[in-house]
Amino acid sequence: MAWSGEAPGGDMPYLLAYSLGDAPAGPKAASAAIRELLESNGLPVGGDLVVDGNARQDLPVGMVVESEQAVVTMPGFNARCSPPPQWLAAVEARGYAYCVFTTRPWPEAVPGKPLAPQALADFVGADETLNAAAHLVLPAGSPRG
């Protein structure tokens, strides 16, 4: 899920990756699998530690922005979204997005189903979401580098 918001220096483009918690073994198993995926790719979960993808050339996570799409990849994970125009403008201006990969399930955020802005703010701003997440600054690449 992509959105932008006011921050020092202009709008900040944000990306949120989350699970619906609908794994066959249940939400706890989904959370554990996501934690393992993140940590095995060098993304620590929890706290205020932010991994700076601009400074870590060996980071196995990448983001490409092309044709009004954002694609995030890492071993074991690929996600694509169609961000709003404000997000695209913010990522173009900054050259990166702030990404939150949370292990906390969000079953109410069903793809294709409208979501109230306050529901997004409540989920993203909750300590349970932020403390169960890996946080990183991810440079916006292009298909040609």
Side-chain angles (χ1 to χ4, degrees):
M1 182 174 293
W3 77 98
S4 61
E6 291 184 30
D11 275 354
M12 176 68 74
Y14 295 98
L15 277 176
L16 172 67
Y18 60 90
S19 163
L20 296 174
D22 57 355
K28 287 184 181 182
S31 293
I34 294 167
R35 177 180 289 274
E36 173 62 29
L37 172 71
L38 295 170
E39 291 177 346
S40 69
N41 282 293
L43 301 175
V45 174
D48 295 330
L49 180 63
V50 177
V51 175
D52 186 351
N54 291 305
R56 290 223 9 227
Q57 300 301 317
D58 65 334
L59 192 65
V61 183
M63 179 177 65
V64 174
V65 179
E66 177 188 40
S67 301
E68 300 180 355
Q69 295 276 305
V71 180
V72 177
T73 61
M74 77 173 89
F77 176 86
N78 294 308
R80 173 182 303 268
C81 72
S82 298
Q86 302 89 334
W87 186 93
L88 293 166
V91 82
E92 183 176 339
R94 289 191 180 257
Y96 63 85
Y98 187 96
C99 302
V100 177
F101 290 88
T102 188
T103 64
R104 181 181 180 209
W106 194 14
E108 296 82 14
V110 176
K113 180 180 169 187
L115 186 65
Q118 188 60 49
L120 172 64
D122 290 347
F123 183 79
V124 173
D127 287 342
E128 297 87 357
T129 301
L130 297 173
N131 292 334
H135 300 257
L136 69 147
V137 171
L138 199 52
S142 67
R144 292 162 193 71

